[in-house]
Amino acid sequence: EDKVVQSPLSLVVHEGDTVTLNCSYEVTNFRSLLWYKQEKKAPTFLFMLTSSGIEKKSGRLSSILDKKELSSILNITATQTGDSAIYLCAVERLQGAQKLVFGQGTRLTINP
Amino acid sequence: DVKVTQSSRYLVKRTGEKVFLECVQDMDHENMFWYRQDPGLGLRLIYFSYDVKMKEKGDIPEGYSVSREKKERFSLILESASTNQTSMYLCASSPPGQNEKLFFGSGTQLSVL
């Protein structure tokens, strides 16, 4: 059975800290891994990773995929209270009508 | 901007009621999805559709059905609501093969009493 596991499930840090969120997967016919941020209700797209070792970056957020270890990390540097959200990892399969398999999510809280 | 609109933000229903959750997208996307989100379990796929009148079961279809009569509208139906269907329901749409362009609605928090 395909599985995506995120860790930690919950994280509380102070503003200015750097955080690393983890996502590991066991999925047949891997196509890509995606990260989403969910602040209130609707998750919004952050990154799509298809190639191992190539970092994707957007401001203070960055992410990288390790296909050998079947995992990805999402880094946030110099955190701000606006980074507080649930971060979702999802894996896309090559077959299966583009269905995504989601992890449980990491709830990140940034305290001022 | 893509807009995915879910008809209700909050809904309270009684056990045994028939419940309709509506979702409309305005970007002519072929793919539409219904997920439910529960604490500690993440998003789980209930049903999806890749074309009008086409539907496929996701990972947890039991107790649900769907309808896609028009490209822009995807409805989730709870034939006889039960308390274990209390959850946040998220609708999403995307062009085919482009999950990086998956857009979500704001969700419907359904409580079944």
Side-chain angles (χ1 to χ4, degrees), chain B residues 59-94:
Chain B
D59 300 314
I60 51 165
E62 297 79 18
Y64 303 94
S65 63
V66 289
S67 171
R68 189 149 181 220
E69 296 296 318
K70 293 184 179 181
K71 191 174 186 180
E72 67 270 19
R73 186 179 295 270
F74 193 36
S75 304
L76 180 70
I77 304 153
L78 287 66
E79 295 289 343
S80 177
S82 63
T83 54
N84 63 12
Q85 292 178 309
T86 291
S87 186
M88 169 65 72
Y89 290 87
L90 288 164
C91 174
S93 73
S94 71

PDB file of all heavy atoms in Angstrom, chain B residues 59-94:
ATOM      1  N   ASP B  59      -9.509   6.382  -2.303  1.00  0.00           N
ATOM      2  CA  ASP B  59      -9.074   5.433  -1.277  1.00  0.00           C
ATOM      3  C   ASP B  59     -10.153   5.110  -0.251  1.00  0.00           C
ATOM      4  O   ASP B  59     -10.114   4.057   0.371  1.00  0.00           O
ATOM      5  CB  ASP B  59      -7.845   6.003  -0.564  1.00  0.00           C
ATOM      6  CG  ASP B  59      -6.697   6.229  -1.534  1.00  0.00           C
ATOM      7  OD1 ASP B  59      -6.424   5.320  -2.349  1.00  0.00           O
ATOM      8  OD2 ASP B  59      -6.089   7.315  -1.506  1.00  0.00           O
ATOM      9  N   ILE B  60     -11.125   6.005  -0.076  1.00  0.00           N
ATOM     10  CA  ILE B  60     -12.162   5.783   0.944  1.00  0.00           C
ATOM     11  C   ILE B  60     -13.547   6.138   0.397  1.00  0.00           C
ATOM     12  O   ILE B  60     -14.228   7.023   0.900  1.00  0.00           O
ATOM     13  CB  ILE B  60     -11.873   6.586   2.236  1.00  0.00           C
ATOM     14  CG1 ILE B  60     -11.600   8.071   1.908  1.00  0.00           C
ATOM     15  CG2 ILE B  60     -10.692   6.001   2.992  1.00  0.00           C
ATOM     16  CD1 ILE B  60     -11.678   8.970   3.123  1.00  0.00           C
ATOM     17  N   PRO B  61     -14.045   5.430  -0.596  1.00  0.00           N
ATOM     18  CA  PRO B  61     -15.321   5.809  -1.210  1.00  0.00           C
ATOM     19  C   PRO B  61     -16.571   5.339  -0.464  1.00  0.00           C
ATOM     20  O   PRO B  61     -17.678   5.790  -0.765  1.00  0.00           O
ATOM     21  CB  PRO B  61     -15.230   5.119  -2.572  1.00  0.00           C
ATOM     22  CG  PRO B  61     -14.419   3.894  -2.301  1.00  0.00           C
ATOM     23  CD  PRO B  61     -13.404   4.305  -1.256  1.00  0.00           C
ATOM     24  N   GLU B  62     -16.382   4.447   0.511  1.00  0.00           N
ATOM     25  CA  GLU B  62     -17.557   3.838   1.158  1.00  0.00           C
ATOM     26  C   GLU B  62     -18.410   4.894   1.843  1.00  0.00           C
ATOM     27  O   GLU B  62     -17.919   5.703   2.620  1.00  0.00           O
ATOM     28  CB  GLU B  62     -17.105   2.793   2.182  1.00  0.00           C
ATOM     29  CG  GLU B  62     -16.341   1.619   1.587  1.00  0.00           C
ATOM     30  CD  GLU B  62     -14.886   1.946   1.272  1.00  0.00           C
ATOM     31  OE1 GLU B  62     -14.368   2.950   1.803  1.00  0.00           O
ATOM     32  OE2 GLU B  62     -14.287   1.200   0.481  1.00  0.00           O
ATOM     33  N   GLY B  63     -19.695   4.862   1.552  1.00  0.00           N
ATOM     34  CA  GLY B  63     -20.631   5.795   2.173  1.00  0.00           C
ATOM     35  C   GLY B  63     -20.818   7.074   1.379  1.00  0.00           C
ATOM     36  O   GLY B  63     -21.589   7.951   1.796  1.00  0.00           O
ATOM     37  N   TYR B  64     -20.114   7.181   0.257  1.00  0.00           N
ATOM     38  CA  TYR B  64     -20.178   8.390  -0.568  1.00  0.00           C
ATOM     39  C   TYR B  64     -20.504   8.031  -2.012  1.00  0.00           C
ATOM     40  O   TYR B  64     -20.235   6.925  -2.468  1.00  0.00           O
ATOM     41  CB  TYR B  64     -18.833   9.124  -0.559  1.00  0.00           C
ATOM     42  CG  TYR B  64     -18.321   9.517   0.791  1.00  0.00           C
ATOM     43  CD1 TYR B  64     -17.432   8.682   1.477  1.00  0.00           C
ATOM     44  CD2 TYR B  64     -18.695  10.720   1.381  1.00  0.00           C
ATOM     45  CE1 TYR B  64     -16.938   9.049   2.717  1.00  0.00           C
ATOM     46  CE2 TYR B  64     -18.199  11.087   2.620  1.00  0.00           C
ATOM     47  CZ  TYR B  64     -17.323  10.240   3.279  1.00  0.00           C
ATOM     48  OH  TYR B  64     -16.834  10.600   4.511  1.00  0.00           O
ATOM     49  N   SER B  65     -21.070   8.993  -2.714  1.00  0.00           N
ATOM     50  CA  SER B  65     -21.191   8.913  -4.164  1.00  0.00           C
ATOM     51  C   SER B  65     -20.930  10.304  -4.727  1.00  0.00           C
ATOM     52  O   SER B  65     -20.836  11.279  -3.960  1.00  0.00           O
ATOM     53  CB  SER B  65     -22.559   8.389  -4.591  1.00  0.00           C
ATOM     54  OG  SER B  65     -23.572   9.278  -4.176  1.00  0.00           O
ATOM     55  N   VAL B  66     -20.767  10.391  -6.037  1.00  0.00           N
ATOM     56  CA  VAL B  66     -20.477  11.686  -6.663  1.00  0.00           C
ATOM     57  C   VAL B  66     -21.284  11.828  -7.939  1.00  0.00           C
ATOM     58  O   VAL B  66     -21.801  10.862  -8.496  1.00  0.00           O
ATOM     59  CB  VAL B  66     -18.973  11.854  -6.988  1.00  0.00           C
ATOM     60  CG1 VAL B  66     -18.148  12.025  -5.719  1.00  0.00           C
ATOM     61  CG2 VAL B  66     -18.467  10.718  -7.847  1.00  0.00           C
ATOM     62  N   SER B  67     -21.331  13.074  -8.398  1.00  0.00           N
ATOM     63  CA  SER B  67     -22.024  13.373  -9.645  1.00  0.00           C
ATOM     64  C   SER B  67     -21.263  14.461 -10.371  1.00  0.00           C
ATOM     65  O   SER B  67     -20.871  15.467  -9.767  1.00  0.00           O
ATOM     66  CB  SER B  67     -23.448  13.849  -9.353  1.00  0.00           C
ATOM     67  OG  SER B  67     -24.068  14.327 -10.525  1.00  0.00           O
ATOM     68  N   ARG B  68     -21.044  14.237 -11.690  1.00  0.00           N
ATOM     69  CA  ARG B  68     -20.399  15.285 -12.494  1.00  0.00           C
ATOM     70  C   ARG B  68     -21.166  15.373 -13.814  1.00  0.00           C
ATOM     71  O   ARG B  68     -20.793  14.752 -14.810  1.00  0.00           O
ATOM     72  CB  ARG B  68     -18.934  14.992 -12.736  1.00  0.00           C
ATOM     73  CG  ARG B  68     -18.238  16.205 -13.378  1.00  0.00           C
ATOM     74  CD  ARG B  68     -16.830  16.303 -12.978  1.00  0.00           C
ATOM     75  NE  ARG B  68     -16.179  17.465 -13.570  1.00  0.00           N
ATOM     76  CZ  ARG B  68     -14.938  17.448 -14.037  1.00  0.00           C
ATOM     77  NH1 ARG B  68     -14.222  16.333 -13.975  1.00  0.00           N
ATOM     78  NH2 ARG B  68     -14.415  18.534 -14.543  1.00  0.00           N
ATOM     79  N   GLU B  69     -22.185  16.181 -13.802  1.00  0.00           N
ATOM     80  CA  GLU B  69     -23.034  16.372 -14.978  1.00  0.00           C
ATOM     81  C   GLU B  69     -22.513  17.487 -15.886  1.00  0.00           C
ATOM     82  O   GLU B  69     -22.751  17.487 -17.091  1.00  0.00           O
ATOM     83  CB  GLU B  69     -24.474  16.684 -14.552  1.00  0.00           C
ATOM     84  CG  GLU B  69     -25.148  15.543 -13.807  1.00  0.00           C
ATOM     85  CD  GLU B  69     -25.308  14.306 -14.671  1.00  0.00           C
ATOM     86  OE1 GLU B  69     -25.681  14.447 -15.867  1.00  0.00           O
ATOM     87  OE2 GLU B  69     -25.039  13.187 -14.183  1.00  0.00           O
ATOM     88  N   LYS B  70     -21.783  18.426 -15.284  1.00  0.00           N
ATOM     89  CA  LYS B  70     -21.177  19.516 -16.045  1.00  0.00           C
ATOM     90  C   LYS B  70     -19.702  19.600 -15.668  1.00  0.00           C
ATOM     91  O   LYS B  70     -19.322  19.258 -14.552  1.00  0.00           O
ATOM     92  CB  LYS B  70     -21.872  20.844 -15.748  1.00  0.00           C
ATOM     93  CG  LYS B  70     -23.295  20.909 -16.247  1.00  0.00           C
ATOM     94  CD  LYS B  70     -23.878  22.289 -15.994  1.00  0.00           C
ATOM     95  CE  LYS B  70     -25.305  22.375 -16.526  1.00  0.00           C
ATOM     96  NZ  LYS B  70     -25.897  23.705 -16.311  1.00  0.00           N
ATOM     97  N   LYS B  71     -18.909  20.078 -16.591  1.00  0.00           N
ATOM     98  CA  LYS B  71     -17.456  20.085 -16.379  1.00  0.00           C
ATOM     99  C   LYS B  71     -17.068  20.884 -15.142  1.00  0.00           C
ATOM    100  O   LYS B  71     -16.135  20.541 -14.427  1.00  0.00           O
ATOM    101  CB  LYS B  71     -16.767  20.669 -17.617  1.00  0.00           C
ATOM    102  CG  LYS B  71     -15.263  20.486 -17.642  1.00  0.00           C
ATOM    103  CD  LYS B  71     -14.709  20.971 -18.952  1.00  0.00           C
ATOM    104  CE  LYS B  71     -13.218  20.663 -19.056  1.00  0.00           C
ATOM    105  NZ  LYS B  71     -12.659  21.137 -20.347  1.00  0.00           N
ATOM    106  N   GLU B  72     -17.768  21.970 -14.877  1.00  0.00           N
ATOM    107  CA  GLU B  72     -17.352  22.863 -13.804  1.00  0.00           C
ATOM    108  C   GLU B  72     -17.853  22.445 -12.418  1.00  0.00           C
ATOM    109  O   GLU B  72     -17.414  23.006 -11.426  1.00  0.00           O
ATOM    110  CB  GLU B  72     -17.842  24.298 -14.106  1.00  0.00           C
ATOM    111  CG  GLU B  72     -19.351  24.483 -14.078  1.00  0.00           C
ATOM    112  CD  GLU B  72     -20.005  24.255 -15.428  1.00  0.00           C
ATOM    113  OE1 GLU B  72     -19.376  23.613 -16.301  1.00  0.00           O
ATOM    114  OE2 GLU B  72     -21.151  24.714 -15.602  1.00  0.00           O
ATOM    115  N   ARG B  73     -18.735  21.469 -12.358  1.00  0.00           N
ATOM    116  CA  ARG B  73     -19.374  21.151 -11.091  1.00  0.00           C
ATOM    117  C   ARG B  73     -19.174  19.680 -10.712  1.00  0.00           C
ATOM    118  O   ARG B  73     -19.415  18.785 -11.514  1.00  0.00           O
ATOM    119  CB  ARG B  73     -20.872  21.451 -11.185  1.00  0.00           C
ATOM    120  CG  ARG B  73     -21.636  21.308  -9.891  1.00  0.00           C
ATOM    121  CD  ARG B  73     -23.112  21.649 -10.127  1.00  0.00           C
ATOM    122  NE  ARG B  73     -23.284  23.041 -10.502  1.00  0.00           N
ATOM    123  CZ  ARG B  73     -23.487  24.026  -9.649  1.00  0.00           C
ATOM    124  NH1 ARG B  73     -23.548  23.794  -8.351  1.00  0.00           N
ATOM    125  NH2 ARG B  73     -23.650  25.258 -10.079  1.00  0.00           N
ATOM    126  N   PHE B  74     -18.767  19.483  -9.461  1.00  0.00           N
ATOM    127  CA  PHE B  74     -18.529  18.117  -8.953  1.00  0.00           C
ATOM    128  C   PHE B  74     -19.176  18.035  -7.586  1.00  0.00           C
ATOM    129  O   PHE B  74     -18.774  18.754  -6.667  1.00  0.00           O
ATOM    130  CB  PHE B  74     -17.024  17.859  -8.886  1.00  0.00           C
ATOM    131  CG  PHE B  74     -16.627  16.423  -8.671  1.00  0.00           C
ATOM    132  CD1 PHE B  74     -17.336  15.377  -9.222  1.00  0.00           C
ATOM    133  CD2 PHE B  74     -15.489  16.118  -7.924  1.00  0.00           C
ATOM    134  CE1 PHE B  74     -16.944  14.062  -9.041  1.00  0.00           C
ATOM    135  CE2 PHE B  74     -15.082  14.793  -7.736  1.00  0.00           C
ATOM    136  CZ  PHE B  74     -15.807  13.770  -8.291  1.00  0.00           C
ATOM    137  N   SER B  75     -20.164  17.169  -7.456  1.00  0.00           N
ATOM    138  CA  SER B  75     -20.932  17.082  -6.218  1.00  0.00           C
ATOM    139  C   SER B  75     -20.586  15.810  -5.463  1.00  0.00           C
ATOM    140  O   SER B  75     -20.443  14.739  -6.057  1.00  0.00           O
ATOM    141  CB  SER B  75     -22.431  17.092  -6.523  1.00  0.00           C
ATOM    142  OG  SER B  75     -22.771  18.238  -7.273  1.00  0.00           O
ATOM    143  N   LEU B  76     -20.483  15.950  -4.163  1.00  0.00           N
ATOM    144  CA  LEU B  76     -20.264  14.807  -3.275  1.00  0.00           C
ATOM    145  C   LEU B  76     -21.557  14.557  -2.515  1.00  0.00           C
ATOM    146  O   LEU B  76     -22.151  15.495  -1.975  1.00  0.00           O
ATOM    147  CB  LEU B  76     -19.125  15.088  -2.299  1.00  0.00           C
ATOM    148  CG  LEU B  76     -18.785  13.977  -1.314  1.00  0.00           C
ATOM    149  CD1 LEU B  76     -18.149  12.790  -2.044  1.00  0.00           C
ATOM    150  CD2 LEU B  76     -17.847  14.489  -0.223  1.00  0.00           C
ATOM    151  N   ILE B  77     -21.991  13.302  -2.486  1.00  0.00           N
ATOM    152  CA  ILE B  77     -23.271  12.954  -1.867  1.00  0.00           C
ATOM    153  C   ILE B  77     -23.036  11.932  -0.762  1.00  0.00           C
ATOM    154  O   ILE B  77     -22.366  10.907  -0.976  1.00  0.00           O
ATOM    155  CB  ILE B  77     -24.239  12.367  -2.923  1.00  0.00           C
ATOM    156  CG1 ILE B  77     -24.410  13.380  -4.072  1.00  0.00           C
ATOM    157  CG2 ILE B  77     -25.592  12.030  -2.291  1.00  0.00           C
ATOM    158  CD1 ILE B  77     -24.748  12.752  -5.385  1.00  0.00           C
ATOM    159  N   LEU B  78     -23.565  12.245   0.403  1.00  0.00           N
ATOM    160  CA  LEU B  78     -23.599  11.287   1.508  1.00  0.00           C
ATOM    161  C   LEU B  78     -25.026  10.770   1.553  1.00  0.00           C
ATOM    162  O   LEU B  78     -25.950  11.494   1.924  1.00  0.00           O
ATOM    163  CB  LEU B  78     -23.227  11.959   2.825  1.00  0.00           C
ATOM    164  CG  LEU B  78     -21.767  12.342   3.054  1.00  0.00           C
ATOM    165  CD1 LEU B  78     -21.273  13.432   2.114  1.00  0.00           C
ATOM    166  CD2 LEU B  78     -21.548  12.740   4.504  1.00  0.00           C
ATOM    167  N   GLU B  79     -25.218   9.532   1.131  1.00  0.00           N
ATOM    168  CA  GLU B  79     -26.572   8.996   0.976  1.00  0.00           C
ATOM    169  C   GLU B  79     -27.310   8.947   2.321  1.00  0.00           C
ATOM    170  O   GLU B  79     -28.500   9.227   2.391  1.00  0.00           O
ATOM    171  CB  GLU B  79     -26.515   7.606   0.354  1.00  0.00           C
ATOM    172  CG  GLU B  79     -25.986   7.584  -1.078  1.00  0.00           C
ATOM    173  CD  GLU B  79     -26.967   8.193  -2.085  1.00  0.00           C
ATOM    174  OE1 GLU B  79     -28.173   8.330  -1.753  1.00  0.00           O
ATOM    175  OE2 GLU B  79     -26.542   8.548  -3.198  1.00  0.00           O
ATOM    176  N   SER B  80     -26.610   8.573   3.364  1.00  0.00           N
ATOM    177  CA  SER B  80     -27.195   8.488   4.702  1.00  0.00           C
ATOM    178  C   SER B  80     -26.093   8.828   5.702  1.00  0.00           C
ATOM    179  O   SER B  80     -25.299   7.975   6.074  1.00  0.00           O
ATOM    180  CB  SER B  80     -27.741   7.082   4.950  1.00  0.00           C
ATOM    181  OG  SER B  80     -28.259   6.969   6.264  1.00  0.00           O
ATOM    182  N   ALA B  81     -26.043  10.090   6.070  1.00  0.00           N
ATOM    183  CA  ALA B  81     -24.918  10.589   6.858  1.00  0.00           C
ATOM    184  C   ALA B  81     -24.776   9.833   8.186  1.00  0.00           C
ATOM    185  O   ALA B  81     -25.771   9.502   8.852  1.00  0.00           O
ATOM    186  CB  ALA B  81     -25.091  12.079   7.110  1.00  0.00           C
ATOM    187  N   SER B  82     -23.533   9.591   8.542  1.00  0.00           N
ATOM    188  CA  SER B  82     -23.242   8.948   9.830  1.00  0.00           C
ATOM    189  C   SER B  82     -22.231   9.809  10.581  1.00  0.00           C
ATOM    190  O   SER B  82     -21.522  10.629   9.991  1.00  0.00           O
ATOM    191  CB  SER B  82     -22.694   7.542   9.618  1.00  0.00           C
ATOM    192  OG  SER B  82     -21.473   7.597   8.916  1.00  0.00           O
ATOM    193  N   THR B  83     -22.152   9.599  11.886  1.00  0.00           N
ATOM    194  CA  THR B  83     -21.288  10.437  12.734  1.00  0.00           C
ATOM    195  C   THR B  83     -19.824  10.323  12.324  1.00  0.00           C
ATOM    196  O   THR B  83     -19.056  11.279  12.475  1.00  0.00           O
ATOM    197  CB  THR B  83     -21.442  10.087  14.212  1.00  0.00           C
ATOM    198  OG1 THR B  83     -21.226   8.680  14.389  1.00  0.00           O
ATOM    199  CG2 THR B  83     -22.848  10.427  14.720  1.00  0.00           C
ATOM    200  N   ASN B  84     -19.411   9.165  11.791  1.00  0.00           N
ATOM    201  CA  ASN B  84     -18.009   9.029  11.396  1.00  0.00           C
ATOM    202  C   ASN B  84     -17.689   9.750  10.086  1.00  0.00           C
ATOM    203  O   ASN B  84     -16.543   9.701   9.599  1.00  0.00           O
ATOM    204  CB  ASN B  84     -17.571   7.563  11.330  1.00  0.00           C
ATOM    205  CG  ASN B  84     -18.321   6.765  10.290  1.00  0.00           C
ATOM    206  OD1 ASN B  84     -19.020   7.318   9.457  1.00  0.00           O
ATOM    207  ND2 ASN B  84     -18.189   5.451  10.342  1.00  0.00           N
ATOM    208  N   GLN B  85     -18.681  10.408   9.527  1.00  0.00           N
ATOM    209  CA  GLN B  85     -18.440  11.239   8.353  1.00  0.00           C
ATOM    210  C   GLN B  85     -18.287  12.717   8.728  1.00  0.00           C
ATOM    211  O   GLN B  85     -18.146  13.583   7.854  1.00  0.00           O
ATOM    212  CB  GLN B  85     -19.555  11.068   7.318  1.00  0.00           C
ATOM    213  CG  GLN B  85     -19.542   9.667   6.696  1.00  0.00           C
ATOM    214  CD  GLN B  85     -20.661   9.440   5.703  1.00  0.00           C
ATOM    215  OE1 GLN B  85     -21.840   9.693   6.008  1.00  0.00           O
ATOM    216  NE2 GLN B  85     -20.315   8.955   4.516  1.00  0.00           N
ATOM    217  N   THR B  86     -18.293  12.996  10.019  1.00  0.00           N
ATOM    218  CA  THR B  86     -17.943  14.334  10.483  1.00  0.00           C
ATOM    219  C   THR B  86     -16.492  14.598  10.128  1.00  0.00           C
ATOM    220  O   THR B  86     -15.593  13.843  10.522  1.00  0.00           O
ATOM    221  CB  THR B  86     -18.138  14.446  12.009  1.00  0.00           C
ATOM    222  OG1 THR B  86     -19.537  14.387  12.298  1.00  0.00           O
ATOM    223  CG2 THR B  86     -17.563  15.752  12.542  1.00  0.00           C
ATOM    224  N   SER B  87     -16.255  15.650   9.349  1.00  0.00           N
ATOM    225  CA  SER B  87     -14.915  15.888   8.836  1.00  0.00           C
ATOM    226  C   SER B  87     -14.877  17.196   8.066  1.00  0.00           C
ATOM    227  O   SER B  87     -15.906  17.829   7.827  1.00  0.00           O
ATOM    228  CB  SER B  87     -14.510  14.743   7.895  1.00  0.00           C
ATOM    229  OG  SER B  87     -13.160  14.869   7.478  1.00  0.00           O
ATOM    230  N   MET B  88     -13.654  17.581   7.684  1.00  0.00           N
ATOM    231  CA  MET B  88     -13.469  18.693   6.757  1.00  0.00           C
ATOM    232  C   MET B  88     -13.401  18.101   5.351  1.00  0.00           C
ATOM    233  O   MET B  88     -12.605  17.187   5.104  1.00  0.00           O
ATOM    234  CB  MET B  88     -12.162  19.436   7.066  1.00  0.00           C
ATOM    235  CG  MET B  88     -11.749  20.445   5.996  1.00  0.00           C
ATOM    236  SD  MET B  88     -12.897  21.801   5.841  1.00  0.00           S
ATOM    237  CE  MET B  88     -12.529  22.685   7.347  1.00  0.00           C
ATOM    238  N   TYR B  89     -14.224  18.613   4.437  1.00  0.00           N
ATOM    239  CA  TYR B  89     -14.238  18.120   3.070  1.00  0.00           C
ATOM    240  C   TYR B  89     -13.651  19.188   2.147  1.00  0.00           C
ATOM    241  O   TYR B  89     -14.089  20.338   2.145  1.00  0.00           O
ATOM    242  CB  TYR B  89     -15.662  17.756   2.643  1.00  0.00           C
ATOM    243  CG  TYR B  89     -16.162  16.530   3.355  1.00  0.00           C
ATOM    244  CD1 TYR B  89     -16.786  16.621   4.595  1.00  0.00           C
ATOM    245  CD2 TYR B  89     -15.975  15.264   2.803  1.00  0.00           C
ATOM    246  CE1 TYR B  89     -17.206  15.485   5.265  1.00  0.00           C
ATOM    247  CE2 TYR B  89     -16.402  14.124   3.467  1.00  0.00           C
ATOM    248  CZ  TYR B  89     -17.018  14.245   4.698  1.00  0.00           C
ATOM    249  OH  TYR B  89     -17.426  13.117   5.360  1.00  0.00           O
ATOM    250  N   LEU B  90     -12.667  18.768   1.377  1.00  0.00           N
ATOM    251  CA  LEU B  90     -11.991  19.682   0.456  1.00  0.00           C
ATOM    252  C   LEU B  90     -12.184  19.211  -0.972  1.00  0.00           C
ATOM    253  O   LEU B  90     -11.951  18.049  -1.296  1.00  0.00           O
ATOM    254  CB  LEU B  90     -10.490  19.733   0.765  1.00  0.00           C
ATOM    255  CG  LEU B  90     -10.075  20.469   2.032  1.00  0.00           C
ATOM    256  CD1 LEU B  90      -8.657  20.105   2.418  1.00  0.00           C
ATOM    257  CD2 LEU B  90     -10.185  21.965   1.826  1.00  0.00           C
ATOM    258  N   CYS B  91     -12.575  20.150  -1.813  1.00  0.00           N
ATOM    259  CA  CYS B  91     -12.698  19.895  -3.242  1.00  0.00           C
ATOM    260  C   CYS B  91     -11.474  20.496  -3.930  1.00  0.00           C
ATOM    261  O   CYS B  91     -10.907  21.489  -3.457  1.00  0.00           O
ATOM    262  CB  CYS B  91     -13.968  20.548  -3.767  1.00  0.00           C
ATOM    263  SG  CYS B  91     -14.180  20.466  -5.556  1.00  0.00           S
ATOM    264  N   ALA B  92     -11.048  19.895  -5.022  1.00  0.00           N
ATOM    265  CA  ALA B  92      -9.893  20.426  -5.759  1.00  0.00           C
ATOM    266  C   ALA B  92     -10.068  20.162  -7.250  1.00  0.00           C
ATOM    267  O   ALA B  92     -10.804  19.250  -7.644  1.00  0.00           O
ATOM    268  CB  ALA B  92      -8.594  19.795  -5.264  1.00  0.00           C
ATOM    269  N   SER B  93      -9.365  20.950  -8.060  1.00  0.00           N
ATOM    270  CA  SER B  93      -9.399  20.717  -9.500  1.00  0.00           C
ATOM    271  C   SER B  93      -8.020  20.968 -10.091  1.00  0.00           C
ATOM    272  O   SER B  93      -7.200  21.695  -9.511  1.00  0.00           O
ATOM    273  CB  SER B  93     -10.427  21.632 -10.173  1.00  0.00           C
ATOM    274  OG  SER B  93      -9.976  22.970 -10.225  1.00  0.00           O
ATOM    275  N   SER B  94      -7.761  20.358 -11.236  1.00  0.00           N
ATOM    276  CA  SER B  94      -6.475  20.553 -11.913  1.00  0.00           C
ATOM    277  C   SER B  94      -6.620  20.199 -13.389  1.00  0.00           C
ATOM    278  O   SER B  94      -7.509  19.431 -13.769  1.00  0.00           O
ATOM    279  CB  SER B  94      -5.386  19.673 -11.285  1.00  0.00           C
ATOM    280  OG  SER B  94      -5.601  18.315 -11.603  1.00  0.00           O
TER     281      SER B  94
END
